[in-house]
Structures are given as C-alpha cells and as structure tokens.
Amino acid sequence: MKNISTICAVLLFAVYSGLSAQVSFGKPEKINEKWEFHLGDSLSEQTRWRTLNLPHDWSVEGALNPSLAACTGYLPGGIGWYRKSLDIPADKKGEKVFIYFEGVQNRSEVYLNGHLLGKRPNGYVSFLYDMTPYISFGGENVLTVRVDHSRYADSRWYNGSGIYRNVWLVFSNPVHIAQWGVYAQTKKATVNSAELAVETEIANETESPAAITVTNELFDAEGKKIASASQKISLKAKSANQKVEQTLKISRPSLWSLDSPALYTLKTTVAQNGIIIDETTTQTGIRTLAFSPDNGLALNGKYLKVKGLCIHHDAGVLGAAVPREIWERRLQTLKSLGCNAIRLTHNLHNPDVYDICDELGLLVMDEVFDEWEFPKRKWIEGWNIGNPGYDGGADYFNEWSGRDLGDGVRRDRNHPSVFAWSIGNEVDYPNDPYSHPILDSGGKGFTQAQFGGYKKDAPDANRLGGIAKRLVAVVKQFDRSRPVTAGLAGVAMSNETDYPYLLDIVGYNYTENRYEEDHNTYPERIIYGSENRHDMEAWKAVRDNQFIFGQFLWTGIDYLGESGVWPSRGFYSGLLDFAGFIKPRGNFRKALWSDEPTAYLGTYLPFGGFRRQMPSMDAWPVWNYEDGQTVKVVCYTNAPKAQLFLNNEPVGDVKNYDDNTGIILWDVPYKAGKLLVKGYDSAGKEICQTAIQTSEQPQKLALKAYQTEISSKRGVAQIEIQALDRNGVPAVLADNLLTCRIDGPGKLLGLEAGDNTDMGNYRDNSQRIFRGRMIAYVEAAGKPGEKFKVSFTSPWLEKAEIEIGIK
C-alpha cells in the first residue's frame, strides 16, 4: 500500500502563480451595492425588503440565544432572499453575461428573471453562472438568490448565513479565457534562471471556428517586461476547454520566499484579427518546494520548520463577512509572532486571505472538507456535552465533492503561498463516524475507554481509502505541483486502512507520541503536525525531530462557534482574541518562534490543581494585587537568561531559560510599582527588556487607527481603544461601558472587545471594554476628500476622538 509518489527520498513540487483577480476573463465589475434582503421564505407583493450592501451575514446580526446551538455560536440561521435589479445595456447584446459569487452560505439557488441558473449547496465554494440566455438586453433584469440555512446547527463551528463574500457581474466576448483558465507552473528555478510554463484554457461559445493569438507577458515589480510568448491556434466551434501551452524563460528571477515574497504580474491576452478580445492579469510568485521523509520541507532548496496556525473564517462581531483590511491586520500580527504558515480550516476561505498571504510571505495549507459521506457530531448544548446533532454537508458530499474540490483547486492553484491541498480534517475520528476492530481493547494505541471500542454498526473505516483515492485523483487532475494531505485524528486506526498511504504528506492531529514510532514503521511517510496544542512538548516534538517539518496550532485566532456551555461565544485558544489583539499565549509563541529578541511579563495568583503547578502561558500583564500577596510572575522570552527587577531592585539572581517549559518563573511578594525584566545573551549582554506597572483607576482613553485614511469604496478603519490611568499606564483591569459616536460620512460596523462570555448585543454603538481594550470597525460612507470623526465616551472617563480621512 505504498504511495508511488513517496517512494523517492525527496518529493519535488513545482510552484504556481497567484491569481490577483477572482474573475480571470472578460470585464468584471463588483456589484455589492444596493441589494435588497428579506429574512424569511415567504415572498409576496407585501414582502418588506431591506436595502443593504454586500458582503452580508445575517446570522451575526441576530441575538445570541441559549436555546440555539453551541456548535454555531448560539446564533440563528434561517432562510433568506436577496434580489438586485440589473440594467444590461442594449449594446451589450452579442456579448456573454455571467454572474460570479465568491461564496454564499449556504444551499443557494440563483434565479434571473424567474429562471433558475443553478444551485450550490456548499457555502464555501466560489461559482459562476451564464445569464446570457435569460437577459433582457436594454431592459430591467432581476437577479434573485435564495439562501437556505434553516439547518443552522450544520457545522462544528460558526459558518454564518447569506451572501457573505463579493459578487461580480462579468461581460465577455463569446471567445474568452475560461474562468480559472490561466495556470502557470515554474518548471525549474534557481537564483540564475527560471522557466515558467503557462497553460491558458480558451472557451469558444460561438457556432463557428475561431483563429486567435494567445500572448503571455511577464512583468516584474517595477512594471518592466521580462519575458513573453505568443501562439496562434484555431478553436473548434462550441468548445470549452482548448488549451494553449507556452514557456517563459526568466533570467535572474527574484524567488518568492517567507522573508522576501517577490511577486510578478502575468498578463494574458487573446486577439482575433489583430484585435484584443479578452485579457487578464495574474499575480505570480516563483518558488520550489521539496519534501523529504527524513528532512521535512525545503523552500527554494532550504529546509525550514513550519510554524503554523489553524484559522477559521469569521472575525467576531463581523461574523463571516470580513473586509480585507481586517484580514491584513490579523495576518500581519500573526507573522509578527513568528508564524510562517496558515492552515485554512476546514474549508475554502475568502479569496483576500490568499492574496494577503502571497504578499506577506505566509505558506498556506488549503483545506476543503471537514466531513465526507457521513456527518460528524455537532454539539448543541456545549462542546462535547449532551446529545449532538447530525446536520451538515454529508447529504450532498457524494454528488458535489468532486466538483467542489476541483473548483477549489482551480481557483487557488495559482497562489505561490499555497503549498498543500488538504482533502479532509479528522474524517477518521474514531467512531465519529467510522469504526474499526482495532479500536477494541488491546488494539494498537487505543483503549476501549477512549472511544468506546469497535462499533460494528458504524461505517467501516476501510471506506476511507476509496474516498481518498477519488479525491486525490481530482486534485491531481488540476494540479500535480503540490502534495495532497489530510489531518488524521485516528492515526492508529487509519494505519489499518489505505487512507494514509494515498496521501503525499500525512498530517497528525494531536498525536505527537506517534511521530517516532510511525517514522520508523513507515520510513517513506512524510509526517507533520496538522493540528497541535500550544504546550512546549508539542513544539519540541517538531523542533527536535528533523523528520517532522512543522506544526499547526489550534488555533491562531479565537473564533465563533464550537462554544462551551452558555455563556460562551466561541472557542478561545487563539494567539489572538476575537478583536485581533495579542493574548498572552501569543507572546509565549513569539518567544518560541521569533528570531528577534523578545520578552514579555505576565502574572497570576497561584492556586491548586496540577495544571496550575506548571507555569502558565496565559498570564496577563497585570501588576495590581494586595500588598504582600505572593504572585506568580512569568517571563516569556527567547533570551538564554533573564533577571527580574521590582522598583529598580533585583528580585533574586539571574535565571536561566527553562527548556522544559519555555517559561522563566518567579514567586514575588506584591508591592505596587514597576516590574521589569531584562533578557541577556549567553555572554551576559542585555538583548531585550519589558515592563509592567501598577495602574490606578482608568481616567482616559487612547485611540490608535490602523488606517487614518480609507478608501471611498467602503474602506474600513480599525480603531483600537485602550483605557489608561491618569499617568498613561494601561488599565488592563478596566471594563468600562463605552459609547461610540460618528460625525460625518462613516458607518459603524461593530465594536469588539474579545470577551468570550459577554453575550450581549455586539451590533449597537455601546460595548464594554475587556481587559482595558476594544476595537471599532468603521466603514467609509462618503466621497474622496471628506472626513469623519469617531468619538468615545464613558462615565468618569475623558472623551476621546479621532479623525479619519476618505480617499
């Protein structure tokens, strides 16, 4: 049962370019403005429609309710309708007209002038419909979308409801580049030269053959053309998939890497009778990947450790409709902590995320499925509590999985950041739903108490191999440049099936104890941690084993859903909270992953229990206790040594870094003032320091705008609010109720403080800060040159305001 692609000692995968525009043909225009929406399934002449802009997620607008499902964050679903009038000019007759949705959550039906264009049950995939046969050229056309999320407890995490990504109207010549039809592969690349193989797929939707010329030109970051190729071909009538293959040779290319993510622009044009009839541009990066069962992953010939994080697709108060600016800030913050890779769990994500990762130099594992032919448990009363539900996507998996996966690969295969395709997450979780005799007491690596033993009536785990074989073939049909993988939850069980042997690289979820054993048992298997805890032992299993190429922590950012017992908005093991602020464990991870000298101080009171006998990675930067009280003080640092000072007086001796915990710990009798730590290199030279200070009652607010000028095209400003005492010291314990007011052409999208237990209204203009902080999201609603003012008030605090410009 060996995978033929892993027999060689090293797997070498080519690189592909990154698609800069979602629509790869014609003349696309975004049509997010002025849609009408109705929540409910009954429509009549008396139906009241609400005017809004897309993207839109109606679930996050609803009230949190303990009677709803914990798995989807105690938020509602339902059925909703959207509609929009489209004026298609008469002079467009003779052109093709398409509608493209980046994502509709979920079970959508799209109609034009009452004609059904198509249905798409998967809420994460992007899809395109041809509207041409039903268009009234020169007249009014009504586009209508029905979204059925009545099965609201259909996901193990929050998925949202509605048209929550962009929508594009596309006009094109009947002879045009196919959607996702440009495919560029770097056949070889060194610092001296590279060869880019470009495949262009052309559609001829006319009744006659067509003679065309396809040209591909490559431009560097300065706009200089560095390579080009042209080819004449004759297209058959009514043909959809004729391909043109060309090779571009590049001298001294700038390779895409984590530290220097160089990008090129590939311009593709189609000409007929000397006239350009279609064109598109593709953002391109050139790099190579190599995988070895003994040495792990090499990028451009250099081996590295993947320091990865899993992330879901929501952003707290914004739900699933997340503007690009929020993703930019979040991903930049994660990279600043030493992260170099993202696992997009457990579905295709917002296209903006891939573009940003291309630009920042973050590797991406693109994942498509969380369940296959049978549903998993969905927790209703709280995570792993009570009786689960079983709604999900299993009912359409057999019919749609091949198309969903294929479309996902075609959509994302051009991104240089994408380094692997994942076809499943924990689909092999023992007895959820598949089972195997190995689970009986005495089986390899299992006890009956863990999973309840073998369940004869459950689906046979041997079915996993057949499904995996089919899905792997789909990926390879559209991209052979990257490995196919999956995150295995029941490795010992799956080892008894064909499943792991069909994968190019094999992800282990929370099973670090099997790394060495399976490396020895399956020496040709390439192993990594696809989902891992935050503890030091899990990291050392990667750091200290050359054959393990990396890990992906669960999770990078707190997310809605998979909630505990009420009150709980979601899962909160992230390095960042719902607001995108760095949590203490984010600083702990920075000390493990970052190459820059760093130090962080946190404190907590000691109390019983085994877990609290170990130094905490969740210590907040607070220095407010009772005099004489013994306080645990922890330092997260990558310095070999550190010394603590209280009010400029040393606290004990210099302490060495503890490689067992990754934390330096002191027990300190509390005294108000300033607590400072200095980190030293092995020679005793100071390389970093940080301090925390006793704060008084909060008196004022400090505002920081991540964008002081935003686009008139609904750009979003992110304004951080920090409570301070009269001396300017952060008041970390503050929880004041703030009210936000906007004067001028701005629209408040939401206030997010990051408190997992606050189940109040997150869509109004009042919110309590949490741990002294909050963030406001404000959208531009004016013209270039205009400004608006955002102010915050609270009883006993000084008013704070900030001005945002529109460009």
PDB file of all heavy atoms in Angstrom, residues 296-322:
ATOM      1  N   GLY A 296      12.119  16.749   5.993  1.00  0.00           N
ATOM      2  CA  GLY A 296      10.989  17.654   6.043  1.00  0.00           C
ATOM      3  C   GLY A 296      10.780  18.449   4.787  1.00  0.00           C
ATOM      4  O   GLY A 296      10.813  17.922   3.675  1.00  0.00           O
ATOM      5  N   LEU A 297      10.582  19.745   4.933  1.00  0.00           N
ATOM      6  CA  LEU A 297      10.185  20.642   3.845  1.00  0.00           C
ATOM      7  C   LEU A 297      11.301  21.615   3.518  1.00  0.00           C
ATOM      8  O   LEU A 297      11.872  22.247   4.407  1.00  0.00           O
ATOM      9  CB  LEU A 297       8.923  21.424   4.253  1.00  0.00           C
ATOM     10  CG  LEU A 297       8.551  22.659   3.424  1.00  0.00           C
ATOM     11  CD1 LEU A 297       8.228  22.276   1.987  1.00  0.00           C
ATOM     12  CD2 LEU A 297       7.372  23.382   4.065  1.00  0.00           C
ATOM     13  N   ALA A 298      11.588  21.749   2.216  1.00  0.00           N
ATOM     14  CA  ALA A 298      12.548  22.747   1.741  1.00  0.00           C
ATOM     15  C   ALA A 298      11.834  23.709   0.815  1.00  0.00           C
ATOM     16  O   ALA A 298      11.126  23.306  -0.109  1.00  0.00           O
ATOM     17  CB  ALA A 298      13.708  22.084   1.023  1.00  0.00           C
ATOM     18  N   LEU A 299      12.022  25.001   1.040  1.00  0.00           N
ATOM     19  CA  LEU A 299      11.515  26.060   0.182  1.00  0.00           C
ATOM     20  C   LEU A 299      12.697  26.663  -0.557  1.00  0.00           C
ATOM     21  O   LEU A 299      13.649  27.131   0.074  1.00  0.00           O
ATOM     22  CB  LEU A 299      10.794  27.125   1.009  1.00  0.00           C
ATOM     23  CG  LEU A 299      10.280  28.365   0.276  1.00  0.00           C
ATOM     24  CD1 LEU A 299       9.216  27.979  -0.751  1.00  0.00           C
ATOM     25  CD2 LEU A 299       9.726  29.379   1.269  1.00  0.00           C
ATOM     26  N   ASN A 300      12.666  26.602  -1.875  1.00  0.00           N
ATOM     27  CA  ASN A 300      13.782  27.074  -2.709  1.00  0.00           C
ATOM     28  C   ASN A 300      15.103  26.412  -2.308  1.00  0.00           C
ATOM     29  O   ASN A 300      16.156  27.042  -2.292  1.00  0.00           O
ATOM     30  CB  ASN A 300      13.914  28.597  -2.624  1.00  0.00           C
ATOM     31  CG  ASN A 300      12.680  29.309  -3.116  1.00  0.00           C
ATOM     32  OD1 ASN A 300      12.013  28.849  -4.036  1.00  0.00           O
ATOM     33  ND2 ASN A 300      12.353  30.429  -2.496  1.00  0.00           N
ATOM     34  N   GLY A 301      15.018  25.128  -1.959  1.00  0.00           N
ATOM     35  CA  GLY A 301      16.211  24.353  -1.642  1.00  0.00           C
ATOM     36  C   GLY A 301      16.694  24.475  -0.214  1.00  0.00           C
ATOM     37  O   GLY A 301      17.673  23.828   0.158  1.00  0.00           O
ATOM     38  N   LYS A 302      16.032  25.266   0.621  1.00  0.00           N
ATOM     39  CA  LYS A 302      16.451  25.446   2.010  1.00  0.00           C
ATOM     40  C   LYS A 302      15.395  24.855   2.945  1.00  0.00           C
ATOM     41  O   LYS A 302      14.235  25.233   2.901  1.00  0.00           O
ATOM     42  CB  LYS A 302      16.644  26.935   2.312  1.00  0.00           C
ATOM     43  CG  LYS A 302      17.742  27.598   1.480  1.00  0.00           C
ATOM     44  CD  LYS A 302      17.859  29.080   1.812  1.00  0.00           C
ATOM     45  CE  LYS A 302      18.956  29.749   0.978  1.00  0.00           C
ATOM     46  NZ  LYS A 302      19.066  31.207   1.279  1.00  0.00           N
ATOM     47  N   TYR A 303      15.846  23.915   3.798  1.00  0.00           N
ATOM     48  CA  TYR A 303      14.915  23.275   4.718  1.00  0.00           C
ATOM     49  C   TYR A 303      14.495  24.253   5.814  1.00  0.00           C
ATOM     50  O   TYR A 303      15.282  25.094   6.264  1.00  0.00           O
ATOM     51  CB  TYR A 303      15.529  22.015   5.320  1.00  0.00           C
ATOM     52  CG  TYR A 303      15.532  20.862   4.340  1.00  0.00           C
ATOM     53  CD1 TYR A 303      16.666  20.572   3.584  1.00  0.00           C
ATOM     54  CD2 TYR A 303      14.389  20.096   4.136  1.00  0.00           C
ATOM     55  CE1 TYR A 303      16.657  19.533   2.660  1.00  0.00           C
ATOM     56  CE2 TYR A 303      14.369  19.060   3.221  1.00  0.00           C
ATOM     57  CZ  TYR A 303      15.512  18.778   2.480  1.00  0.00           C
ATOM     58  OH  TYR A 303      15.492  17.757   1.564  1.00  0.00           O
ATOM     59  N   LEU A 304      13.240  24.126   6.246  1.00  0.00           N
ATOM     60  CA  LEU A 304      12.703  25.025   7.265  1.00  0.00           C
ATOM     61  C   LEU A 304      11.722  24.269   8.137  1.00  0.00           C
ATOM     62  O   LEU A 304      11.299  23.163   7.817  1.00  0.00           O
ATOM     63  CB  LEU A 304      12.023  26.232   6.608  1.00  0.00           C
ATOM     64  CG  LEU A 304      10.872  25.960   5.633  1.00  0.00           C
ATOM     65  CD1 LEU A 304       9.519  25.803   6.341  1.00  0.00           C
ATOM     66  CD2 LEU A 304      10.748  27.087   4.619  1.00  0.00           C
ATOM     67  N   LYS A 305      11.361  24.897   9.259  1.00  0.00           N
ATOM     68  CA  LYS A 305      10.312  24.375  10.123  1.00  0.00           C
ATOM     69  C   LYS A 305       9.061  25.215   9.914  1.00  0.00           C
ATOM     70  O   LYS A 305       9.095  26.445   9.993  1.00  0.00           O
ATOM     71  CB  LYS A 305      10.727  24.436  11.594  1.00  0.00           C
ATOM     72  CG  LYS A 305      11.819  23.455  11.978  1.00  0.00           C
ATOM     73  CD  LYS A 305      11.354  21.998  11.900  1.00  0.00           C
ATOM     74  CE  LYS A 305      12.424  21.048  12.421  1.00  0.00           C
ATOM     75  NZ  LYS A 305      12.002  19.623  12.316  1.00  0.00           N
ATOM     76  N   VAL A 306       7.959  24.544   9.638  1.00  0.00           N
ATOM     77  CA  VAL A 306       6.690  25.238   9.506  1.00  0.00           C
ATOM     78  C   VAL A 306       6.176  25.577  10.899  1.00  0.00           C
ATOM     79  O   VAL A 306       5.964  24.692  11.732  1.00  0.00           O
ATOM     80  CB  VAL A 306       5.668  24.374   8.746  1.00  0.00           C
ATOM     81  CG1 VAL A 306       4.258  24.915   8.920  1.00  0.00           C
ATOM     82  CG2 VAL A 306       6.036  24.315   7.268  1.00  0.00           C
ATOM     83  N   LYS A 307       6.011  26.864  11.147  1.00  0.00           N
ATOM     84  CA  LYS A 307       5.469  27.370  12.410  1.00  0.00           C
ATOM     85  C   LYS A 307       4.068  27.861  12.095  1.00  0.00           C
ATOM     86  O   LYS A 307       3.845  29.041  11.833  1.00  0.00           O
ATOM     87  CB  LYS A 307       6.360  28.483  12.948  1.00  0.00           C
ATOM     88  CG  LYS A 307       7.810  28.031  13.174  1.00  0.00           C
ATOM     89  CD  LYS A 307       8.730  29.212  13.449  1.00  0.00           C
ATOM     90  CE  LYS A 307      10.177  28.757  13.617  1.00  0.00           C
ATOM     91  NZ  LYS A 307      11.103  29.899  13.815  1.00  0.00           N
ATOM     92  N   GLY A 308       3.128  26.924  12.104  1.00  0.00           N
ATOM     93  CA  GLY A 308       1.823  27.182  11.524  1.00  0.00           C
ATOM     94  C   GLY A 308       0.703  27.353  12.528  1.00  0.00           C
ATOM     95  O   GLY A 308       0.785  26.914  13.682  1.00  0.00           O
ATOM     96  N   LEU A 309      -0.376  27.968  12.048  1.00  0.00           N
ATOM     97  CA  LEU A 309      -1.576  28.192  12.847  1.00  0.00           C
ATOM     98  C   LEU A 309      -2.801  27.823  12.023  1.00  0.00           C
ATOM     99  O   LEU A 309      -2.859  28.089  10.822  1.00  0.00           O
ATOM    100  CB  LEU A 309      -1.676  29.663  13.255  1.00  0.00           C
ATOM    101  CG  LEU A 309      -0.523  30.211  14.111  1.00  0.00           C
ATOM    102  CD1 LEU A 309      -0.591  31.729  14.182  1.00  0.00           C
ATOM    103  CD2 LEU A 309      -0.561  29.609  15.505  1.00  0.00           C
ATOM    104  N   CYS A 310      -3.778  27.217  12.664  1.00  0.00           N
ATOM    105  CA  CYS A 310      -5.074  26.972  12.037  1.00  0.00           C
ATOM    106  C   CYS A 310      -5.961  28.195  12.285  1.00  0.00           C
ATOM    107  O   CYS A 310      -5.941  28.767  13.374  1.00  0.00           O
ATOM    108  CB  CYS A 310      -5.740  25.747  12.649  1.00  0.00           C
ATOM    109  SG  CYS A 310      -4.775  24.219  12.537  1.00  0.00           S
ATOM    110  N   ILE A 311      -6.732  28.601  11.293  1.00  0.00           N
ATOM    111  CA  ILE A 311      -7.679  29.694  11.489  1.00  0.00           C
ATOM    112  C   ILE A 311      -9.005  29.374  10.820  1.00  0.00           C
ATOM    113  O   ILE A 311      -9.052  28.720   9.784  1.00  0.00           O
ATOM    114  CB  ILE A 311      -7.144  31.048  10.969  1.00  0.00           C
ATOM    115  CG1 ILE A 311      -6.897  31.014   9.453  1.00  0.00           C
ATOM    116  CG2 ILE A 311      -5.904  31.479  11.722  1.00  0.00           C
ATOM    117  CD1 ILE A 311      -6.577  32.381   8.863  1.00  0.00           C
ATOM    118  N   HIS A 312     -10.092  29.839  11.464  1.00  0.00           N
ATOM    119  CA  HIS A 312     -11.409  29.799  10.841  1.00  0.00           C
ATOM    120  C   HIS A 312     -11.671  31.127  10.134  1.00  0.00           C
ATOM    121  O   HIS A 312     -10.822  32.014  10.103  1.00  0.00           O
ATOM    122  CB  HIS A 312     -12.481  29.490  11.880  1.00  0.00           C
ATOM    123  CG  HIS A 312     -12.678  28.025  12.122  1.00  0.00           C
ATOM    124  ND1 HIS A 312     -12.864  27.130  11.099  1.00  0.00           N
ATOM    125  CD2 HIS A 312     -12.722  27.290  13.278  1.00  0.00           C
ATOM    126  CE1 HIS A 312     -13.019  25.911  11.597  1.00  0.00           C
ATOM    127  NE2 HIS A 312     -12.929  25.975  12.917  1.00  0.00           N
ATOM    128  N   HIS A 313     -12.870  31.290   9.571  1.00  0.00           N
ATOM    129  CA  HIS A 313     -13.108  32.362   8.613  1.00  0.00           C
ATOM    130  C   HIS A 313     -13.861  33.571   9.165  1.00  0.00           C
ATOM    131  O   HIS A 313     -14.090  34.530   8.432  1.00  0.00           O
ATOM    132  CB  HIS A 313     -13.864  31.814   7.403  1.00  0.00           C
ATOM    133  CG  HIS A 313     -15.321  31.522   7.669  1.00  0.00           C
ATOM    134  ND1 HIS A 313     -15.731  30.691   8.665  1.00  0.00           N
ATOM    135  CD2 HIS A 313     -16.452  31.964   7.057  1.00  0.00           C
ATOM    136  CE1 HIS A 313     -17.055  30.614   8.663  1.00  0.00           C
ATOM    137  NE2 HIS A 313     -17.519  31.383   7.706  1.00  0.00           N
ATOM    138  N   ASP A 314     -14.246  33.576  10.447  1.00  0.00           N
ATOM    139  CA  ASP A 314     -15.016  34.696  10.978  1.00  0.00           C
ATOM    140  C   ASP A 314     -14.105  35.704  11.676  1.00  0.00           C
ATOM    141  O   ASP A 314     -12.919  35.463  11.890  1.00  0.00           O
ATOM    142  CB  ASP A 314     -16.078  34.197  11.967  1.00  0.00           C
ATOM    143  CG  ASP A 314     -15.451  33.721  13.269  1.00  0.00           C
ATOM    144  OD1 ASP A 314     -15.057  32.545  13.365  1.00  0.00           O
ATOM    145  OD2 ASP A 314     -15.346  34.549  14.208  1.00  0.00           O
ATOM    146  N   ALA A 315     -14.697  36.840  12.065  1.00  0.00           N
ATOM    147  CA  ALA A 315     -13.961  37.871  12.798  1.00  0.00           C
ATOM    148  C   ALA A 315     -14.853  38.459  13.888  1.00  0.00           C
ATOM    149  O   ALA A 315     -15.187  39.645  13.884  1.00  0.00           O
ATOM    150  CB  ALA A 315     -13.457  38.968  11.870  1.00  0.00           C
ATOM    151  N   GLY A 316     -15.277  37.603  14.805  1.00  0.00           N
ATOM    152  CA  GLY A 316     -16.047  38.068  15.952  1.00  0.00           C
ATOM    153  C   GLY A 316     -17.309  38.796  15.551  1.00  0.00           C
ATOM    154  O   GLY A 316     -18.183  38.253  14.880  1.00  0.00           O
ATOM    155  N   VAL A 317     -17.426  40.070  15.949  1.00  0.00           N
ATOM    156  CA  VAL A 317     -18.636  40.864  15.723  1.00  0.00           C
ATOM    157  C   VAL A 317     -19.017  40.939  14.254  1.00  0.00           C
ATOM    158  O   VAL A 317     -20.193  41.121  13.923  1.00  0.00           O
ATOM    159  CB  VAL A 317     -18.437  42.285  16.295  1.00  0.00           C
ATOM    160  CG1 VAL A 317     -17.353  43.034  15.550  1.00  0.00           C
ATOM    161  CG2 VAL A 317     -19.728  43.080  16.279  1.00  0.00           C
ATOM    162  N   LEU A 318     -18.067  40.791  13.343  1.00  0.00           N
ATOM    163  CA  LEU A 318     -18.345  40.890  11.910  1.00  0.00           C
ATOM    164  C   LEU A 318     -18.864  39.585  11.321  1.00  0.00           C
ATOM    165  O   LEU A 318     -19.295  39.548  10.169  1.00  0.00           O
ATOM    166  CB  LEU A 318     -17.081  41.331  11.161  1.00  0.00           C
ATOM    167  CG  LEU A 318     -16.506  42.677  11.587  1.00  0.00           C
ATOM    168  CD1 LEU A 318     -15.190  42.940  10.862  1.00  0.00           C
ATOM    169  CD2 LEU A 318     -17.490  43.804  11.326  1.00  0.00           C
ATOM    170  N   GLY A 319     -18.811  38.519  12.090  1.00  0.00           N
ATOM    171  CA  GLY A 319     -19.247  37.231  11.576  1.00  0.00           C
ATOM    172  C   GLY A 319     -18.384  36.760  10.433  1.00  0.00           C
ATOM    173  O   GLY A 319     -17.153  36.883  10.467  1.00  0.00           O
ATOM    174  N   ALA A 320     -19.026  36.235   9.388  1.00  0.00           N
ATOM    175  CA  ALA A 320     -18.295  35.679   8.255  1.00  0.00           C
ATOM    176  C   ALA A 320     -18.009  36.702   7.167  1.00  0.00           C
ATOM    177  O   ALA A 320     -17.217  36.433   6.267  1.00  0.00           O
ATOM    178  CB  ALA A 320     -19.094  34.514   7.655  1.00  0.00           C
ATOM    179  N   ALA A 321     -18.632  37.877   7.229  1.00  0.00           N
ATOM    180  CA  ALA A 321     -18.435  38.921   6.209  1.00  0.00           C
ATOM    181  C   ALA A 321     -17.294  39.826   6.652  1.00  0.00           C
ATOM    182  O   ALA A 321     -17.514  40.867   7.274  1.00  0.00           O
ATOM    183  CB  ALA A 321     -19.721  39.714   6.017  1.00  0.00           C
ATOM    184  N   VAL A 322     -16.075  39.417   6.331  1.00  0.00           N
ATOM    185  CA  VAL A 322     -14.879  40.063   6.874  1.00  0.00           C
ATOM    186  C   VAL A 322     -14.177  40.881   5.790  1.00  0.00           C
ATOM    187  O   VAL A 322     -13.696  40.323   4.802  1.00  0.00           O
ATOM    188  CB  VAL A 322     -13.905  39.021   7.445  1.00  0.00           C
ATOM    189  CG1 VAL A 322     -12.727  39.708   8.129  1.00  0.00           C
ATOM    190  CG2 VAL A 322     -14.622  38.093   8.425  1.00  0.00           C
TER     191      VAL A 322
END
